[in-house]
Amino acid sequence: MAIDYTWIIDDDDIFTFTIKKMLELNHLTHRIDTFSNGLEAKQQLDFRKENNLPYPNIILLDINMPILDGWQFMDEFSQFADKKEIIVYLISSSIDPNDRIKAKKYEDIKDFVVKPVTINALLQLIAHAESLMNIP
Amino acid sequence: MDQSIQFKAIWQAPIAIAYLDTDLKYIAYSAKWLSDYKLPQEDIIGKSHYEVFPEIGEEWKQKHQRILKYGNIESNPAELFVRSDGSHQWIKWAVRPTFNQNGEISGLVMSTEDITETLKLQSKVDREHQLLLDAADKAKIGTWEMNHITNELYWSMVTKKIHEVHKDFVPDIATGIDFYKPGVNQEIVSDLFARSYKTGERFEVELQIITAKGKERWVRSVMKAEIVDGKCIRQYGTFEDITDKVVSEKNYKLALRKFHDVFEASGVGMMVVDPIDLSITEVNPKICELLNYHSDHIKTSSLERFVLKADFPKLFNSVTDLLNNKIDGIELDIHLKKSTGRFVICSVIGTLIDDDQGNPIDLVIQVIDISGIKKKEEELRAFTKYVEQQNERLLNFAHIVSHNLRSHSSNFEVLLNLYHQETDVEDQNNIIKLLSSSSSQLAETISHLNDVVAVNTKKIELSPIYLKENIFKVMENISSQIKEYHINVDVEMDDDFTVAASPAYLESIILNLLTNSIRYRKKDVPGRITIKAYKHKGKSRIIFEDNGIGIDMKLNGHKIFGMYKTFHGNKDARGIGLYMTKNQVEAMGGTIRVESEKNVGTKFNITL
């Protein structure tokens, strides 16, 4: 059980460090890239499309970020031609119910995970992703 | 006496008269005799009466003989004669004997008067009189007549009915007067009755009677008198029950007086308006006070004069609807103009008054000054809005707290877990470093939140501050930055321009906006910041404008004043400055707005 390629989009360095560490220690993914805001990730997606490079299988997306926040990234992502190949999870420390309601409106967001992300939560998330991807 | 003169006098007599001798032959007659009996214009002197009138029967012949024999007088005030041609004549006649110098009966004198026409006229008068009485009966008007010759008092059926006496009741003058209510009523009627008796004057009077059944009624009594040779032979008149009319009149007067009292003393402004041309016909003191005009200035002018132009159409439409029975009354809030030119918002209630036929005659308008209520409403609305904003800020703050504190605490938790799993010492040290950096971030966050709480809870004392002086003071503190980045700051305002503010907040706001502009300056052109201030509608307007990199308003406009929102990925941006600035401005009762365009610059408008 392992995902091929994972992205973490979050401006919180400690969060990205810890998630990255957990994924690595548990061998849950083969490759991880991190971006500190939505714009960087968006540019990377476009770059990969142009150069026919593989897309990430899953994206762990934070809401509050500078430049392009999680919502703005999703607005861009929904226009992305190959979006069906990518599974997006929203990860936030926000307990604002409005954020949950808003997340439901994005059909491209597969789930909403509240920080802190424990190893159990992460295992469940990966299992969920694999079932969506039909990986045995 | 010369007989010819005597005969000539007889010929010219205005009545039909004939002198006959004992043989009933004509001695003399009047011209009227001939014309009344339609006799041919030939001399009948010497002719026998029975020759001239062959139809005279035996009965008359005996009558004539009796008079000639006994000297008595026979007469009839009205007798019907049927002439030989079949025509009818009513004759008033008298036959007397004539006497000679010796006192012996020498013949007869007949005088007759054709009263056919008079009788016809009389019967017509009687008929009309009867009709009049019938009409009076129908109109419930009674009649009465006091005959002073027979001393009888006559009451018609209606008169009896009004007195509530039996139809066989026989009144006399004393009981007639007794029916009037004792006191003034009786005095008046006695006095007028006596005066009418004496002078024949006509009187009309409205008085109260008490009927046989003890009921009080209002009556109108009319009396007339007929005086012959200075003597009153009869008094008569009409008698009418006017109780209903008097009562309804009284009620009407009472209602009118009550309305008038209410109208005058009302604490509500009232006016009576012509519903057709909207001219004001009546005003009460309260409306004069409300509009600050003397009543003469309001009366007769059109209502339109006092209504705000923009409000008039809806008032006009309401009146039209009211006249067309589409609505029962008018209920509107409109602005009325006072003599001072100021407008007061008033609640207007209009009701239409109809006459008996249902035609609208008056529009009664009540006016209540609701500017006080409106002001209170406005205050309440503002307060509600303030509370809502406070609530929203509080909720927002709660989410910020949860977001920021939770992200730190979750970092601690996860880092500690990793630390325990980690076997590599170098990696463990790495985690410790992250833990300590997370800890200092937490401390910083708590300090920020503390600042925010302070701004939102501390009671703010506003005092007048010289704005320009304060801007220069802040610029001095950051003079190294201004110099280093070659920023040109223009402060365009009078030296004595003051703003009511909290000194600490104002300083913090100026500092934040200046450092913001410096931080987001364009690297390739010299930075320029312009600060202007002016008074607008009693408030201070302060404008900070820079030529920096600007903000994409479409993308980030909603996030500018949010906490921990940064837009440029700038490493020293902490996303707290503008959040604090907004909080501080609002804590002082002001507002802050932003206009910005990417690559052109940013402009902050502060109103205090």
Side-chain angles (χ1 to χ4, degrees), chain B residues 395-495:
Chain B
L395 201 66
N396 193 28
F397 183 74
H399 288 140
I400 288 163
V401 169
S402 89
H403 180 267
N404 291 288
L405 297 187
R406 277 174 61 84
S407 59
H408 292 304
S409 75
S410 70
N411 282 345
F412 280 130
E413 196 180 330
V414 175
L415 282 172
L416 285 170
N417 272 335
L418 283 177
Y419 179 82
H420 290 306
Q421 281 182 45
E422 196 59 73
T423 46
D424 187 80
V425 177
E426 201 184 323
D427 276 349
Q428 277 186 340
N429 285 340
N430 224 346
I431 290 169
I432 293 293
K433 267 186 212 153
L434 286 173
L435 272 171
S436 92
S437 117
S438 200
S439 157
S440 61
Q441 276 180 31
L442 176 64
E444 195 190 7
T445 299
I446 287 170
S447 137
H448 286 160
L449 292 175
N450 218 22
D451 289 348
V452 173
V453 170
V455 168
N456 282 294
T457 53
K458 240 190 259 164
K459 193 160 167 53
I460 304 305
E461 295 277 336
L462 301 184
S463 50
I465 298 166
Y466 287 113
L467 183 59
K468 198 169 186 176
E469 190 186 308
N470 262 268
I471 292 170
F472 284 134
K473 207 166 93 188
V474 174
M475 280 166 64
E476 239 176 69
N477 291 338
I478 54 166
S479 59
S480 59
Q481 282 186 53
I482 293 173
K483 250 185 222 148
E484 187 184 344
Y485 302 118
H486 307 288
I487 309 291
N488 188 351
V489 184
D490 282 335
V491 183
E492 298 176 7
M493 68 191 70
D494 292 339
D495 290 346

Side-chain angles (χ1 to χ4, degrees), chain B residues 283-303:
Chain B
V283 286
N284 75 345
K286 186 70 190 175
I287 193 111
C288 299
E289 185 192 312
L290 195 119
L291 296 174
N292 198 30
Y293 270 112
H294 189 266
S295 64
D296 295 345
H297 279 102
I298 309 178
K299 267 198 249 180
T300 72
S301 37
S302 169
L303 179 59

